[in-house]
Amino acid sequence: MRKAPTTAEDLCIELLGRRLDQVDAEERRVLARIASGEIEDLDAQEEAALHATRGQRLADKVAAVGGSWAFIIGFGVVLVSWMLINSRILEDFGLHPFDAYPYIFLNLMLSMLAAIQAPVIMMSQNRQSQKDRIAARHDYEVNLRTQLEIIRLHRRFDRLLDRLDKPDGHS
């Protein structure tokens, strides 16, 4: 009876018909995992979180808050309140508005917010692209591993069937 391959090199030759140095790094990594019997690996989100810098995590949080309905509604309330406070309502109480119509100070604040928020959102989008690349690589590895395991099982069944088909029952 033929011994099952135990090294990544043996698996590569048996399953792919090539030497280990002839396959790419991802295939080598998958073959090494199969050979070692390692089953679990970090999922794409865990791997992305593991390599995230403090700035990247902050950008993700800012983008999550800035892209939410709570932020939009809250910001709308702030804008309407600003305009109401700086309208003629304050004059009815004998106060002078600190940013009267056309709300120049409000315009300056909104411009500064947009100037800061846009690059932060772009950083978060870049981070999402990195997460997507990690997820794609992870999916590729899982698919490759599954295909290699199916090939491996198929060959084991073939060897078993060959042994059963022999009249004397010996290999």
Side-chain angles (χ1 to χ4, degrees):
M1 184 168 123
R2 197 167 128 207
K3 178 180 106 159
T6 56
T7 67
E9 180 74 37
D10 293 340
L11 280 171
C12 190
I13 290 169
E14 180 184 335
L15 300 177
L16 300 176
R18 295 180 277 167
R19 290 190 326 268
L20 197 59
D21 61 355
Q22 295 174 321
V23 297
D24 66 26
E26 290 183 56
E27 289 171 330
R28 281 194 292 273
R29 191 170 40 252
V30 170
L31 287 164
R33 281 199 194 120
I34 292 172
S36 72
E38 182 183 333
I39 295 174
E40 292 189 26
D41 191 23
L42 295 175
D43 73 4
Q45 293 297 325
E46 290 170 333
E47 188 174 339
L50 184 66
H51 300 295
T53 65
R54 189 178 307 169
Q56 290 171 327
R57 287 190 297 269
L58 178 62
D60 287 345
K61 288 177 185 175
V62 168
V65 170
S68 68
W69 278 109
F71 177 80
I72 292 169
I73 292 168
F75 200 65
V77 168
V78 168
L79 291 176
V80 170
S81 299
W82 184 286
M83 290 185 282
L84 286 175
I85 289 171
N86 286 291
S87 67
R88 301 216 183 265
I89 293 175
L90 281 180
E91 290 176 355
D92 292 341
F93 295 105
L95 300 172
H96 185 68
F98 58 90
D99 186 26
Y101 181 81
Y103 312 114
I104 294 171
F105 186 63
L106 176 62
N107 192 14
L108 173 67
M109 298 304 285
L110 291 175
S111 297
M112 287 181 6
L113 177 67
I116 292 169
Q117 194 176 24
V120 170
I121 290 171
M122 288 176 65
M123 285 189 288
S124 181
Q125 288 175 335
N126 289 339
R127 174 109 168 94
Q128 187 60 47
S129 295
Q130 289 174 335
K131 287 180 184 178
D132 291 344
R133 282 191 295 278
I134 290 169
R137 189 183 78 233
H138 186 266
D139 290 346
Y140 172 77
E141 286 184 23
V142 168
N143 290 338
L144 178 61
R145 186 175 185 153
T146 302
Q147 289 174 340
L148 291 174
E149 287 292 355
I150 290 170
I151 291 170
R152 192 176 184 190
L153 285 171
H154 191 278
R155 291 197 176 152
R156 282 184 182 171
F157 275 118
D158 286 347
R159 285 193 299 266
L160 233 162
L161 288 173
D162 286 346
R163 284 182 59 201
L164 291 174
D165 286 343
K166 291 185 180 179
D168 61 357
H170 293 90
S171 32

